[in-house]
Amino acid sequence: MAYVTKSEIRNRLALDAFKPSDTILDDLIEKAENELKVMLGDSLFKAKYTRYEREEVDKIELSNFKSITKITIDGVELDEYSDDEILLNPDVETTQNSDVQAWTAVAGSGDTLSHDDSYSYKYTHSLKISKGSSNASYWKSDTHSVSEEIYYKATARIFVDSNTSGNTYLKLEFLDTDENVVKTYTSAAVTKEITQPSSASTISVVSDSSSDTTQSIMIYGVVNNNRTLETVELNGTSSVSTEKSFSQIISVKKSSSTSGTITLKSNGGAVTNCTLSSTENEKNMWVKAEIEGSPTEDSASVRVSFYCDASSGNAYADSFSLRKRQWWTMIDGVHFADKLKGYFEIDYELAEIPMMVRELIRDLSCLYVLVYLSGGDSAGMNYEALKSAQYTSMGFREIYLRILGEFERKLDAYCMIYNPPFLKGNLN
């Protein structure tokens, strides 16, 4: 979208409605936007907060922000989640006397829970729930003590079939000193994303848009008992197929966005493995489940549960994680789990382009227009060339230098306020 209008440029320079034409003016405005974007670090939305906090703080106030890109304190990056894994045996690979270390099976009547080696996300094993009734069954992790008023995030990779799809969850549970659950956070139900080939088969890939001819589809799966990756280049509405025969599809990913919906089929078209709409970039056999929550006042410990209440079918879970959250955003800015002090640098994305940026685009567009009206070619022009005013006629020189001076003052002021990480100077 254009952040300034043609009328603003014409009014700024007292131009009539005919020269430059609307088409040329649109081109010059777009060029100004792109040039300023390069000058501000490839984005008109980038901003940086810098401040030295002598006393410990648990909040930094920010306004007009959409998302946080990076936080550093005294030059050291503060990750959103701690690097320390809380769970023991998060990949469920270790057993003791055939029991899964740090995990306990709680089977409902008619269900069987096992340490499975037929399916796994990362290594060789997973936790399996085999359903025989609608009674709930779950695997629960060991408990870990909590005392802080902070957030915890649990994640896992879960594989469901058509029967357990929609009835399988990841739970984050907080318990009191008697190990009674006092607060439970439940993830969205895990649903089946990929239907597996009925037997080893090549995979055909096609788009419903003829314009999808430059993208590739990456298929990661099992071929002859080995995990492998194959890439297929799209050919619009003409179907293309893998060279390898996949007995299992683990994940499917686009190289870039597509205009149409992508469909993958196997076994001569008898099995539709998955579809990716124009806004979907990836599908997985092992779906990522995640849930976040904070302890209540009477919470003494926390645990993670893999839970299923379907009446039939199988569900598998692997690659668990439980991490403390070190910072999070609220409407007033960034909050920290622990009070911190030092030199804060916060890279963030603006929610709305400031009026000052719009004025910079307007003034830069005016400079391009003056170059054009002087008979110069704006192609290849950049900030350094504009500063030299080498293409402006004497009649335009005074107004050109006045607008250039205003542009440079506003650019310096913008840098002082938002401090974007860029180097002003030669631009190609």
Side-chain angles (χ1 to χ4, degrees), residues 19-87:
K19 187 176 182 180
S21 68
D22 283 352
T23 300
I24 291 174
L25 206 49
D26 283 333
D27 289 340
L28 295 177
I29 291 172
E30 181 180 1
K31 179 176 177 59
E33 288 184 5
N34 291 335
E35 182 81 358
L36 187 63
K37 187 183 297 182
V38 171
M39 296 170 69
L40 300 182
D42 294 325
S43 173
L44 299 178
F45 291 88
K46 278 188 178 180
K48 182 191 285 282
Y49 170 98
T50 58
R51 181 169 175 173
Y52 181 78
E53 296 288 351
R54 187 179 300 274
E55 303 296 330
E56 292 183 334
V57 298
D58 58 7
K59 181 180 76 171
I60 296 291
E61 292 186 0
L62 287 177
S63 61
N64 188 28
F65 76 97
K66 180 172 65 175
S67 61
I68 304 299
T69 306
K70 183 180 180 182
I71 297 177
T72 61
I73 302 174
D74 293 332
V76 179
E77 184 172 355
L78 181 67
D79 292 331
E80 187 175 1
Y81 294 94
S82 170
D83 287 337
D84 297 328
E85 176 57 59
I86 297 173
L87 295 177

Side-chain angles (χ1 to χ4, degrees), residues 340-353:
L340 302 166
K341 66 179 180 179
Y343 182 64
F344 285 77
E345 294 180 275
I346 302 177
D347 296 324
Y348 63 99
E349 290 284 315
L350 295 166
E352 181 181 357
I353 287 183

